[in-house]
Amino acid sequence: PCHREVVVATCSIVPERFPVCLVTQCSMDRLAQLETQLSCWDSEFAVAVYVDAFPGSAQATEARRLILETCARSVAAREERGENRKDCPPWTILLVHR
């Protein structure tokens, strides 16, 4: 079994605004594609990101940092398009370790 941890969990002020949830998974080498999805998908989003590292390792710490940076860039892209940060759909991002 893999170890799982929640890295990002946001909520919406108006949850009924997001009737569909996109659920997916990726590995660390696909964070650029994840960033694009987070920037463009206008409903709830849940993703499991696999990192080939143990939970307390330096690689796991780096993975957390990179995921948070990916989220920050996605929010910035939404703001550049004129979206209010409070209107972002809810995101749940799990980090899955070996």
Side-chain angles (χ1 to χ4, degrees):
C2 296
H3 179 272
R4 297 172 306 278
E5 68 175 286
V6 177
V7 177
V8 174
T10 65
C11 61
S12 172
I13 296 171
V14 188
E16 61 273 4
R17 217 180 112 216
F18 307 106
V20 177
C21 179
L22 175 65
V23 179
T24 190
Q25 52 85 36
C26 68
S27 54
M28 293 299 297
D29 63 331
R30 299 287 187 245
L31 287 183
Q33 289 84 352
L34 176 61
E35 182 177 332
T36 300
Q37 287 177 314
L38 290 171
S39 299
C40 297
W41 181 251
D42 287 329
S43 197
E44 189 170 353
F45 194 94
V47 61
V49 180
Y50 177 75
V51 59
D52 188 19
F54 292 105
S57 68
Q59 294 92 340
T61 300
E62 178 67 2
R64 282 183 214 95
R65 185 186 67 76
L66 291 171
I67 290 168
L68 292 172
E69 286 180 359
T70 296
C71 291
R73 286 191 302 272
S74 297
V75 169
R78 287 175 170 277
E79 289 175 336
E80 285 176 14
R81 292 195 310 265
E83 293 182 30
N84 186 323
R85 183 177 290 224
K86 290 186 281 184
D87 292 333
C88 280
W91 297 341
T92 302
I93 301 177
L94 296 173
L95 187 56
V96 180
H97 305 269
R98 73 167 133 153

